[in-house]
Amino acid sequence: MCPRIVTDEDRQQRDRELLDTALELIQQDNLTSLSMDKLAANVPYSKGTVYNHFCSKEDLLLGLCNCGMEIVADLFDRAAGIQGSGRDHVFALTYAYLLYALLYRDQFFLHVQSKTPSLYEKGSQERLERNLQLEERLLGHVLQAVEQAITEGNLQLKPGWDSMQVAFHLWASAFGAIAVASIKSQSPGPMRVQFKREVFNQMALILDGLGWKPSTSAWKACPVLQQLETIYQSELEALEKQGISLSIPATCSQGENA
Amino acid sequence: MCPRIVTDEDRQQRDRELLDTALELIQQDNLTSLSMDKLAANVPYSKGTVYNHFCSKEDLLLGLCNCGMEIVADLFDRAAGIQGSGRDHVFALTYAYLLYALLYRDQFFLHVQSKTPSLYEKGSQERLERNLQLEERLLGHVLQAVEQAITEGNLQLKPGWDSMQVAFHLWASAFGAIAVASIKSQSPGPMRVQFKREVFNQMALILDGLGWKPSTSAWKACPVLQQLETIYQSELEALEKQGISLSIPATCSQGENA
DNA sequence: TTTTTTCTTGACGGTGCGTCAATATTGGCC
DNA sequence: GGCCAATATTGACGCACCGTCAAGAAAAAA
């Protein structure tokens, strides 16, 4: 139809088209059932052309992962816009990340896989770089919240620590809690804990451990939750359609160890 | 060779033989390169017989995951045997889990995957049950440390909390930190944090957040580390052979927020 | 020895990944 | 317009992998 004139917009647009179709296929079935042939069959291009955009299946997965990280970046951007303390912003980021994990579970776990040799060894240079960029951008939001708390005077770094370390701990802790919550709430076995609620409790524990003031109980009353339910209204509605509600923080058991 | 007499020991023994060969193949290459044909080719049985033991590839992976969990269970058993406070035991369990993740990375991540529909929907009933049993056993060790701390008087549960919740947070936090550490220390991108060391810092943060006494600095001096290096001597040597050292806790930056 | 039961085998169908020679499309040139 | 070169597209092909199953082998029973 239109060869030779693909070098710019066209290419980007078809990239998106392919990724969007792939995402649809994932949502219809699941990630493991996605195949390059299936993608090619559901798109007005042939397999060869698909391989012109993604050098391997792993590269496609990397593309989907990056797609997801862009969604998170957008959620984080909105979280950064709320009115509130550094601690409020940590809460907002956690909320956003949990929202993402519940809405896009496959892509959430792709984020881990993208760091694994089996993926990144077969991804294109271009997409790997984008992956690092996006990671940087996400971590930047966390760092910003940490530094806000420091300038507010609510957080004093312990000797030998820097903000990056703090950001790392916040990230790792949120990831762990959300991963376990996301897994446990959809797998067989005993369900002894309200996992989604515990995500926020865990962040509170970390913050308390860091000596990050004010203490946890502030979350209950503060108007951040209402702000969040406003800025994430469409995402929350999408979640409700899937039968999942996220009315956790209001009933969050609080750790009042001032 | 010997049909009809397979109903008991024979079957178990071949199960192990198959799993052991599969583990060898994984260590030679990697998890993704493992295939049922390859396994059958490296074993004195045919593919059909392999499928007599594992109803699908996913079932084999589940078997490998269980294998790994048994290793962890063994490490945890040894950790439970050390002399020390509840906090020391948490430290020891963290140490053991990190050791496991570094030595058997693929199996560590299989533990997550085993909770994902794409795996557990195709696993055999038998192996799924065993998986839950093992999970129970591992969590039991964490619970035990929590309850030891409570009876010692070092940990007082906040109102509305129970030991299971505490164990969940310890587990999720350790998992997150170790996962991120394991991933980041073997993938491209900036390396701004000594990830392995931070695993212990993160646990300290959680403990501090829980109000779990005594405060963190105790780890540095306590004789637990020496005990650990004794009971995990062979594992540490195996790790060194791979060029990874685990001399972290001694230089662990301590959070002294009593 | 023969029959029956149990276990093993590997060839086969179906699917997925990635390649590449053949084909189609377009821009430039005469 | 007609022709050439450069580029994009196609889908059939080779290879690997998963899971099955009819045919066959081995042991126990008769």
Side-chain angles (χ1 to χ4, degrees):
Chain A
M1 303 270 176
C2 51
R4 189 56 158 299
I5 321 171
V6 277
T7 16
D8 232 28
E9 266 176 85
D10 232 9
R11 190 177 173 78
Q12 291 269 331
Q13 193 169 344
R14 277 207 312 219
D15 260 33
R16 269 245 88 80
E17 190 181 349
L18 289 171
L19 287 170
D20 285 343
T21 312
L23 288 172
E24 275 174 37
L25 291 174
I26 288 176
Q27 289 217 314
Q28 279 171 29
D29 278 338
N30 58 51
L31 186 61
T32 52
S33 81
L34 177 68
S35 75
M36 296 299 264
D37 292 78
K38 205 166 156 187
L39 174 59
N42 282 273
V43 117
Y45 315 106
S46 76
K47 190 152 68 145
T49 302
V50 171
Y51 271 92
N52 253 2
H53 286 256
F54 300 96
C55 66
S56 64
K57 187 182 183 179
E58 285 76 14
D59 198 34
L60 173 65
L61 294 180
L62 211 55
L64 294 174
C65 172
N66 288 351
C67 258
M69 289 170 78
E70 272 163 22
I71 295 176
V72 182
D74 171 57
L75 296 178
F76 277 15
D77 285 342
R78 279 189 265 166
I82 64 162
Q83 294 286 326
S85 64
R87 190 165 185 128
D88 290 331
H89 279 101
V90 171
F91 182 66
L93 292 172
T94 307
Y95 192 91
Y97 202 37
L98 177 59
L99 212 49
Y100 170 69
L102 292 174
L103 270 173
Y104 310 94
R105 195 151 55 105
D106 287 316
Q107 283 164 91
F108 173 75
F109 284 109
L110 264 181
H111 192 162
V112 192
Q113 253 197 296
S114 76
K115 305 301 173 187
T116 227
S118 62
L119 253 198
Y120 70 67
E121 275 175 2
K122 304 180 97 181
S124 63
Q125 198 63 36
E126 175 197 356
R127 251 172 277 271
L128 282 169
E129 279 167 17
R130 176 126 192 79
N131 190 261
L132 286 180
Q133 272 175 26
L134 283 164
E135 186 131 335
E136 205 72 15
R137 184 165 156 208
L138 297 185
L139 204 57
H141 274 110
V142 183
L143 259 178
Q144 204 176 326
V146 173
E147 270 152 18
Q148 180 186 348
I150 293 174
T151 56
E152 281 167 357
N154 284 328
L155 174 62
Q156 213 172 355
L157 290 183
K158 302 173 187 181
W161 284 60
D162 59 25
S163 348
M164 183 54 84
Q165 254 170 298
V166 175
F168 163 80
H169 286 296
L170 293 179
W171 187 271
S173 185
F175 168 73
I178 292 174
V180 176
S182 164
I183 282 166
K184 290 277 180 177
S185 56
Q186 294 223 1
S187 77
M191 174 74 155
R192 281 160 296 196
V193 182
Q194 274 295 337
F195 294 105
K196 279 177 284 181
R197 179 208 296 167
E198 295 305 331
V199 171
F200 298 98
N201 279 334
Q202 175 144 337
M203 296 314 284
L205 288 181
I206 290 277
L207 294 180
D208 289 351
L210 284 161
W212 184 318
K213 292 173 291 185
S215 179
T216 324
S217 55
W219 276 359
K220 183 157 39 182
C222 88
V224 172
L225 185 58
Q226 209 172 350
Q227 281 187 65
L228 294 178
E229 285 174 354
T230 306
I231 63 177
Y232 295 135
Q233 193 178 352
S234 63
E235 282 82 7
L236 286 169
E237 278 168 13
L239 212 53
E240 298 254 342
K241 267 186 197 161
Q242 295 181 28
I244 309 171
S245 86
L246 193 51
S247 55
I248 305 113
T251 59
C252 197
S253 73
Q254 303 295 334
E256 325 235 2
N257 63 332
Chain B
M1 302 270 177
C2 51
R4 190 55 158 297
I5 322 170
V6 276
T7 16
D8 232 30
E9 266 177 83
D10 231 10
R11 191 179 172 79
Q12 291 270 328
Q13 193 169 343
R14 275 207 312 219
D15 259 34
R16 268 246 85 81
E17 190 180 349
L18 290 170
L19 287 169
D20 285 343
T21 312
L23 287 172
E24 275 174 36
L25 291 173
I26 288 178
Q27 288 217 314
Q28 279 172 30
D29 279 338
N30 56 50
L31 186 61
T32 52
S33 81
L34 177 68
S35 73
M36 297 299 265
D37 292 79
K38 206 165 155 187
L39 175 58
N42 282 274
V43 118
Y45 315 108
S46 75
K47 191 150 71 143
T49 303
V50 173
Y51 271 93
N52 253 2
H53 286 257
F54 301 96
C55 67
S56 64
K57 187 181 182 180
E58 285 75 14
D59 198 33
L60 174 66
L61 294 180
L62 211 55
L64 293 174
C65 172
N66 288 350
C67 259
M69 289 170 79
E70 271 162 23
I71 294 174
V72 182
D74 172 56
L75 295 177
F76 277 15
D77 284 343
R78 279 189 266 165
I82 66 164
Q83 294 285 326
S85 63
R87 190 166 185 128
D88 291 330
H89 279 100
V90 171
F91 182 66
L93 292 173
T94 307
Y95 193 91
Y97 200 38
L98 177 59
L99 212 50
Y100 169 68
L102 292 175
L103 271 173
Y104 310 94
R105 194 150 54 102
D106 286 318
Q107 282 164 91
F108 172 75
F109 283 110
L110 264 181
H111 191 161
V112 192
Q113 253 197 298
S114 77
K115 304 302 171 187
T116 228
S118 62
L119 253 199
Y120 70 67
E121 275 175 3
K122 303 179 99 181
S124 63
Q125 198 63 35
E126 175 197 356
R127 250 172 276 272
L128 283 170
E129 278 167 18
R130 175 125 192 80
N131 189 260
L132 287 180
Q133 271 174 28
L134 283 164
E135 186 132 335
E136 205 73 14
R137 183 163 157 209
L138 298 184
L139 204 57
H141 274 110
V142 183
L143 258 178
Q144 204 177 324
V146 172
E147 271 153 18
Q148 180 185 348
I150 293 175
T151 57
E152 283 167 357
N154 284 327
L155 173 63
Q156 212 174 352
L157 290 183
K158 302 173 188 183
W161 286 60
D162 59 26
S163 346
M164 183 54 85
Q165 254 171 298
V166 175
F168 163 79
H169 287 297
L170 293 178
W171 186 271
S173 186
F175 168 74
I178 293 174
V180 175
S182 163
I183 281 165
K184 290 278 181 178
S185 57
Q186 293 222 4
S187 76
M191 175 77 154
R192 281 160 298 197
V193 181
Q194 274 295 336
F195 294 105
K196 280 177 284 180
R197 179 207 297 166
E198 296 305 331
V199 171
F200 298 98
N201 279 335
Q202 174 144 337
M203 295 313 284
L205 287 181
I206 289 277
L207 294 180
D208 289 350
L210 286 162
W212 184 319
K213 292 173 289 185
S215 179
T216 324
S217 54
W219 276 357
K220 185 158 36 184
C222 87
V224 172
L225 185 58
Q226 211 173 346
Q227 282 187 66
L228 293 178
E229 283 172 357
T230 307
I231 63 176
Y232 297 133
Q233 194 177 352
S234 63
E235 281 82 7
L236 286 168
E237 278 168 12
L239 212 53
E240 298 254 343
K241 267 186 197 160
Q242 295 181 25
I244 310 172
S245 85
L246 193 51
S247 54
I248 305 117
T251 60
C252 198
S253 72
Q254 303 296 337
E256 324 235 4
N257 62 331

